[in-house]
Amino acid sequence: MTAFLNADLHCHSVVSDGTMTPEELAIRAQANGVELWALTDHDEVGGQHRAAAAARAAGMAYLTGTEISVTFCNETVHIVGLGFDADNAEITQGLYDTRGGRGKRAQEMSEQLAQVGIRGAYEGALKFVGNPELISRTHFARFLVEQGYCKDTSEVFRKYLTEGKPGYVPHRWASLKDAIRWINDAGGMAVIAHPGRYKFTANEEYALFTEFKAHGGRAVEVVTGSHTPAEYVEYADKALEFGLAASRGSDFHSPDESHCDLGKLPVLPGQLTPVWELLADRIQHVAPAQ
Ligand code: AMP
Ligand code: MN
Ligand code: MN
Ligand code: MN
């Protein structure tokens, strides 16, 4: 498998904060030319067996996935796990504990929004959630758009749900070390998600990459829907500098909200080691026709 494979190893379903089912995503990915797919719901593996079966039905190879919320240097960092055993007890317990604080955080977000005149946000956001344990800022954003407070979810994040704005509640997620250990011990590979999105100083970013490696992390997203073309180059250089493999994923959530569709990103820069080469024995291939 080469760097030119159409792999999409980052997206979300209704199990977390996407709007499509795992089955709908598999069909869309296949129609868009994806050859190797992973569903990476936030802090949850509940969609993995459905996604693997849907990939098989659509004729695509599949890697298990999740996107773990981590706190590092007082900032939320996302660590994608790929190719692990989705039934492993340690990672399923770790993810359960990680999502545990979401309900209380959501209540606090709702109280803050009420103070600026937006009432009933908790109940409103809940209408958009499959699993209440996974209530996220995205679900609040959809409620505020539905109620006409903003024209789209990006505007909601600009005005309400980010640091310094009403509706932002700081939260302590998993540690970087634990997230990497859960993934590694379950036979998978840890990937730094969309590093260009974090508001780190150069020193903090260096610390993230250094500690990520020291704890057993092996890869970084280089080509993602969250990066600009200049960031593809910047993080390709970082991958080489730190000896990390490279991943590629759209971070697709919804046809109405995501600017990058499944399978529609540029290929990885050729000099990098694709994460799927290191995960060759973890890929679930489609059985050849009898
Ligand atoms: P949470 O895990 O509850 O903090 O929510 C994080 C999710 O919010 C991310 O996974 C994205 O789906 C979404 N998100 C974060 N920032 C933005 C933004 N600026 N615009 C749109 N969606 C965003
Ligand atoms: Mn999301
Ligand atoms: Mn993310
Ligand atoms: Mn994501």
Side-chain angles (χ1 to χ4, degrees), residues 150-165:
C150 293
K151 68 174 191 320
D152 57 29
T153 53
S154 301
E155 188 184 341
V156 179
F157 278 90
R158 267 200 315 280
K159 291 188 172 164
Y160 293 102
L161 305 177
T162 41
E163 200 165 352
K165 303 287 163 57

Side-chain angles (χ1 to χ4, degrees), residues 12 17 42 67 69 78 102 105 135-138 153-154 157 162 173 197 253:
H12 300 271
D17 62 348
H42 296 284
E67 183 177 18
S69 310
H78 287 167
R102 282 185 179 269
R105 169 190 183 235
I135 188 166
S136 80
R137 287 185 290 162
T138 314
T153 53
S154 301
F157 278 90
T162 41
W173 303 106
R197 257 185 36 193
H253 283 70

Side-chain angles (χ1 to χ4, degrees), residues 95-114:
L95 295 176
Y96 177 80
D97 293 343
T98 302
R99 58 183 187 260
R102 282 185 179 269
K104 182 162 169 285
R105 169 190 183 235
Q107 302 269 15
E108 290 173 23
M109 288 167 65
S110 187
E111 284 161 24
Q112 280 198 24
L113 290 169

